Amino acid sequence: MTTMVDVARRAGVSVATVSHVVNDTRPVRPDTRAAVLAAIEDLGYTHNTLARSLVTARTRSIGLAVSAISNPYFTEILQGVEAGALEAGYSLLIADPHDDPGHERKVVQLLHERRVDGMIVAPSAEPAELIDYVTRRRVPTVFLDRLVGDGFDQVCAESAEPVRRLVEHLADLGHTRIGLVAGLPGLSTTTERVEGYRAGLRARGLPFAPELLAGGNSEAEGAQDATRHLLAAPQPPTAIITANNAMTIGALQALRDLGLEVPRDIALACFDDFSWADLFTPRLTAIAQPSKELGAAAVRLLLARLDDPARPPRTVRLPCTFVHRTSCGCPETA
């Protein structure tokens, strides 16, 4: 088996220099680093991560706990986390807590028992057990996508202002009855998007009508029911905003079942863009979250916490992008 000694001989450097290159523990001159990396490639040297973890008490691994990994939004976040972790020399252990508080606690404990150096977690609507676990055991943790309050590292996209912009856009098109299919109660994203909805109504001088706000529980099936509920009102909405991509699918299914055509019969705009949104007929007007950037930012926050456990906690908010298409009723050329 090839060792560091073999690499050092091939590169003409000391074993300590090879160690610094492999472990990134000290700056090494670019030409020397290149020689070491070339020797590693030539000899097929594989770094013994396990042996190093016994010395440093680090496993160079990160636990990632996000629900609905099959959701395109979280898939892109995963790509951002994976790319950031790989660049920093970390591996990932991934688990799905299913947005269930009890299961979430078990998942986090299992990741912790596998000695990950830290965790990135998208918390459920009731994260008390999760917060208690990572706080008591001092597990370096970054909360992703959803805020849990002060005192923790967390990263998420803006939620209120983008929804406000959707409301204002629909109002400017002449809609005065604008419905919202909101997400799972208790999530910070749900609270903020409802706040943005109400702020948009106020900005355009429109009253808030409770019957135009329906909960879709952040899932397609719930959004189907919520959309039917909205359209059964004595004065139904002429436009609907859905608060995540899964609920957009549910709303579209409900509209199809009711024989309604977008945007001829009702306008539709959604929070969360996804790769095939541009392929729908009509093309979906959407708020695009910086998914991969969120994942990468979470990794940076966690690595900063590992390097300096005493640093003050940070909350990072990233802006979203308004993607103007035609489901809102605007012409193709708008």
Side-chain angles (χ1 to χ4, degrees):
M1 183 178 69
T2 304
T3 66
M4 275 194 186
V5 174
D6 300 320
V7 173
R9 287 173 180 164
R10 174 65 67 91
V13 299
S14 68
V15 173
T17 298
V18 174
S19 177
H20 291 316
V21 171
V22 170
N23 297 313
D24 199 23
T25 50
R26 184 180 298 175
V28 176
R29 283 172 35 189
D31 56 336
T32 302
R33 175 180 288 274
V36 171
L37 294 176
I40 288 173
E41 181 69 21
D42 291 344
L43 297 173
Y45 171 71
T46 301
H47 182 45
N48 190 334
T49 304
L50 177 60
R52 182 170 183 264
S53 71
L54 295 174
V55 175
T56 63
R58 292 273 189 95
T59 60
R60 304 291 290 186
S61 63
I62 293 172
L64 175 65
V66 295
S67 296
I69 293 172
S70 60
N71 184 312
Y73 169 62
F74 280 116
T75 299
E76 291 186 0
I77 282 183
L78 170 58
Q79 292 171 355
V81 172
E82 183 178 40
L86 182 62
E87 182 179 358
Y90 281 76
S91 60
L92 281 183
L93 277 70
I94 305 170
D96 187 341
H98 302 293
D99 267 332
D100 176 81
H103 189 63
E104 173 180 70
R105 162 67 170 73
K106 294 176 184 176
V107 160
V108 166
Q109 180 176 344
L110 287 172
L111 289 172
H112 186 215
E113 289 173 351
R114 280 157 179 75
R115 300 180 62 80
V116 296
D117 293 336
M119 296 188 205
I120 298 172
V121 183
S124 69
E126 300 176 27
E129 288 188 52
L130 161 66
I131 292 172
D132 180 70
Y133 184 91
V134 299
T135 301
R136 284 178 177 271
R137 290 160 181 79
R138 299 183 181 179
V139 181
T141 302
V142 173
F143 292 108
L144 173 66
D145 184 58
R146 302 153 180 176
L147 303 180
V148 297
D150 297 332
F152 300 95
D153 291 318
Q154 42 197 356
V155 57
C156 63
E158 296 289 352
S159 280
E161 187 278 332
V163 174
R164 171 178 172 153
R165 184 172 181 184
L166 288 179
V167 173
E168 292 175 350
H169 177 67
L170 291 169
D172 291 344
L173 293 175
H175 295 282
T176 59
R177 300 279 293 174
I178 302 170
L180 175 68
V181 179
L184 188 68
L187 296 179
S188 65
T189 49
T190 298
T191 300
E192 291 184 358
R193 290 169 198 177
V194 170
E195 289 173 352
Y197 167 70
R198 299 187 69 153
L201 294 175
R202 288 195 300 271
R204 290 300 182 263
L206 299 176
F208 169 71
E211 69 272 17
L212 295 183
L213 175 61
N217 287 327
S218 300
E219 60 182 16
E221 184 176 353
Q224 287 188 59
D225 294 338
T227 301
R228 294 190 190 99
H229 175 77
L230 290 174
L231 294 173
Q235 291 182 282
T238 60
I240 290 177
I241 296 170
T242 52
N244 79 359
N245 55 9
M247 292 191 294
T248 300
I249 300 300
L252 286 169
Q253 290 171 330
L255 294 174
R256 179 200 61 193
D257 293 344
L258 292 168
L260 298 176
E261 184 178 319
V262 177
R264 185 192 67 189
D265 301 314
I266 188 166
L268 180 69
C270 54
F271 199 104
D272 278 343
D273 198 21
F274 40 98
S275 58
W276 58 85
D278 201 35
L279 303 178
F280 279 90
T281 303
R283 297 160 61 237
L284 296 176
T285 292
I287 294 297
Q289 297 194 73
S291 309
K292 293 181 181 178
E293 291 83 355
L294 287 170
V299 173
R300 289 194 295 271
L301 271 183
L302 181 58
L303 295 181
R305 173 63 56 199
L306 293 173
D307 287 341
D308 182 7
R311 62 186 291 277
R314 289 184 57 202
T315 295
V316 175
R317 303 294 297 255
L318 299 183
C320 295
T321 303
F322 178 70
V323 184
H324 189 191
R325 299 191 182 103
T326 59
S327 64
C328 53
C330 294
E332 188 71 37
T333 56

